[in-house]
């Protein structure tokens, strides 16, 4: 597609930044050395500098080498946002290993699928998640487990005890502190890491099917960081340094990993790690007690913060940007956030398969315009119909992406890779959208979430946006439900802000805002909606429920 978006680029943004040579490990070493004395991470009252983090990471890399684990082996990391996460991540990458990020709240089934699919033999796990690991142990084939206690790296002392092995003697058990003690002073031999060598095996959320491992290479990651830096660096206020970011989204998710931890590495900024963002009181306490200059979140997190009774005690005076992604941010949330903080929310759009962002709204102070922003530097977006024909500006079709940040493919799944890649090298996103006349990407919905009502397309995002403008509605999700007359019909699941809201009142409101075929035929009130760990509403779970007979 003709890159009409370049006409709307901020003048300070380089549309074709150079992608550095080398490896992610080399980038970590350079920037940790450059900013050695600066705070890199803060967690639970403990501050860790870049220099200290790199020293501990080198010790972990040394332990991996002493275990005889060759470069290229997958190292699974099952941790929330705690200090051990960057230490283990940097250390594994230093040894030329491949990081497999694992959600610490996974069930046995989910854990077995991901670790066996990845072929991981080493697992670093958060101690509270150990019961799930124990239950799955027989199916995992692990050779070693490193446990991370809830107070790991928070104190001055070092606990070098070795965790007792299981009754059958396998796999070998270590505490994180024991690995660091054993690996200190034993740096690994330099690994042969080429641009196509995998850095991360990042699993898709699995909300639309079986979770697959996206192979993100060294070049993919370096390209993404070059794109992010070109887009954001010109606008980071120098007078607010040192920069500190509220990092509430989990680092095992691609957005926080790349746009949080690694982007801050580039300019020597610090991440204020939030281990449990669902503890909203604890998050607000941290925001009140810590100085911060940026933050990231998703629509549901911003909505929850806006409704917290102490949010007005937070000092936002030094915060220059609030970023959002993973799911569409509703206009009502943007308006509420602007009224509270004076900031707009900067929306971005990305995928696991693209190392994070594909597009983002400009950071030059423009107001929120409801779009997913402009395509990133070095990124080409093509809008295509079902026949793979490219559409023009303003026309709606599937969003397809080409750029140096696009994954090498799905791990050991050539058929699945072929399904999402076009012959001319574009990744099919599965999202429906358009590029407007000014080059802004506008996402309508997931292709699989679209509802077909008597031949008319209904996009759940549009109906949800209307429901959320009702003052008595807190959250809403819209999915397809079978209908004997129209084939499908919208079904709405709603969380009330005001318990006096009735179904009749909401139906009357929808009748004023939506044409007849877009109005929810079924409305159900809920205490809460099912969500992923990053706050995306699980439409698939609700759709499955909507397709079951009521009362079954």
């Amino acid at each position: 597609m003709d890159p009409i978006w370049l006409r709307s680029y901020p003048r300070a943004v380089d549309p074709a930044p150079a992608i550095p040579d080398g490896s992610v490990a080399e980038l970590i070493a350079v920037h940790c050395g450059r900013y050695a004395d600066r705070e890199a991470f803060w967690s639970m009252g403990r501050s860790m500098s870049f220099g200290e983090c790199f020293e501990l990471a080198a010790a972990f890399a040394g332990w991996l080498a002493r275990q005889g684990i060759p470069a290229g082996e997958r190292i699974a990391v099952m941790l929330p946002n705690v200090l051990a996460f960057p230490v283990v991540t940097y250390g594994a990458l230093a040894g030329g290993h491949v990081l497999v990020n694992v959600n610490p709240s996974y069930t046995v089934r989910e854990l077995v699928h991901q670790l066996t699919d990845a072929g991981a033999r080493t697992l670093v796990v958060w101690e509270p998640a150990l019961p799930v690991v124990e239950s799955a142990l027989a199916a995992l084939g692990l050779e070693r487990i490193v446990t991370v206690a809830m107070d790991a790296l928070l104190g001055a002392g070092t606990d070098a005890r070795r965790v007792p092995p299981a009754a059958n003697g396998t796999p070998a058990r270590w505490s994180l502190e024991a690995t660091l003690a054993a690996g200190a002073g034993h740096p690994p031999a330099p690994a042969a890491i080429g641009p196509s060598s995998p850095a991360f095996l990042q699993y898709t959320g699995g909300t639309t099917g079986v979770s697959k491992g996206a192979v993100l290479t060294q070049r993919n990651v370096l390209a993404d960081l070059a794109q992010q830096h070109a887009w954001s660096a010109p606008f980071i206020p120098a007078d607010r340094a040192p920069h500190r970011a509220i990092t509430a989204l989990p680092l095992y998710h691609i957005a926080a990993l790349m746009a949080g931890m690694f982007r801050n590495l580039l300019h020597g900024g610090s991440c204020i790690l939030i281990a449990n963002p669902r503890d909203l009181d604890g998050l607000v306490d941290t925001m009140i007690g810590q100085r911060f200059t940026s933050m990231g979140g998703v629509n549901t997190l911003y909505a929850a913060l806006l409704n917290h009774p102490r949010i007005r005690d937070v000092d936002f005076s030094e915060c220059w940007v609030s970023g959002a992604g993973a799911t569409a941010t509703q206009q009502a949330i943007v308006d509420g956030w602007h009224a509270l903080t004076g900031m707009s929310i900067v929306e971005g759009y990305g995928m696991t398969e693209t190392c994070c962002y594909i597009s983002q709204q400009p950071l030059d102070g423009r107001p929120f315009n409801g779009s997913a922003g402009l395509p990133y530097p070095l990124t080409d977006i093509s809008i295509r119909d079902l026949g793979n024909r490219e559409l023009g500006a303003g026309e709606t079709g599937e969003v397809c992406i080409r750029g140096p940040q696009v994954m090498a493919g799905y791990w050991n799944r050539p058929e699945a890779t072929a399904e999402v890649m076009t012959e001319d090298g574009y990744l099919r996103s599965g999202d429906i959208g358009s590029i407007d006349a000014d080059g802004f990407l506008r996402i309508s919905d997931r292709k699989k979430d679209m509802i077909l009502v008597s031949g008319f397309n209904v996009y759940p995002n549009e109906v949800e946006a209307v429901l959320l403008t009702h003052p008595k509605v807190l959250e809403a999700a819209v999915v397809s439900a079978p209908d004997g007359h129209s084939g499908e019909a919208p079904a709405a699941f709603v969380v009330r802000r005001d318990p006096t809201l009735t179904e009749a009142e909401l139906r009357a409101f929808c009748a004023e805002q939506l044409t007849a075929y877009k109005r929810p035929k079924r409305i159900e009130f809920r205490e809460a909606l099912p969500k992923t760990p990053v706050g995306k509403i699980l439409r698939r779970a609700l759709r499955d429920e909507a397709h079951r007979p009521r009362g079954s």
Side-chain angles (χ1 to χ4, degrees), residues 60 79 98 126 135 142 271 311 314 373 406 408 418 439 450 467 518 528 530:
F60 186 73
L79 296 174
V98 183
W126 180 235
S135 299
L142 291 171
C271 292
I311 191 62
V314 177
V406 173
M450 188 179 71
L467 292 169
K518 295 181 181 179

Side-chain angles (χ1 to χ4, degrees), residues 459-520:
Y459 296 109
N461 278 347
E462 179 188 3
V463 183
E464 290 169 1
V466 168
L467 292 169
L468 287 167
T469 61
H470 194 292
K472 295 183 181 180
V473 171
L474 180 62
E475 291 183 328
V478 174
V479 298
S480 69
D483 184 79
H485 174 68
S486 60
E488 291 182 331
F493 296 83
V494 176
V495 177
R496 288 180 278 210
R497 185 192 307 274
D498 184 333
T500 66
L501 176 65
T502 65
E503 182 177 336
E505 182 181 357
L506 196 54
R507 287 192 182 280
F509 179 77
C510 288
E512 296 175 355
Q513 305 289 328
L514 295 165
T515 191
Y517 70 87
K518 295 181 181 179
R519 297 170 197 163

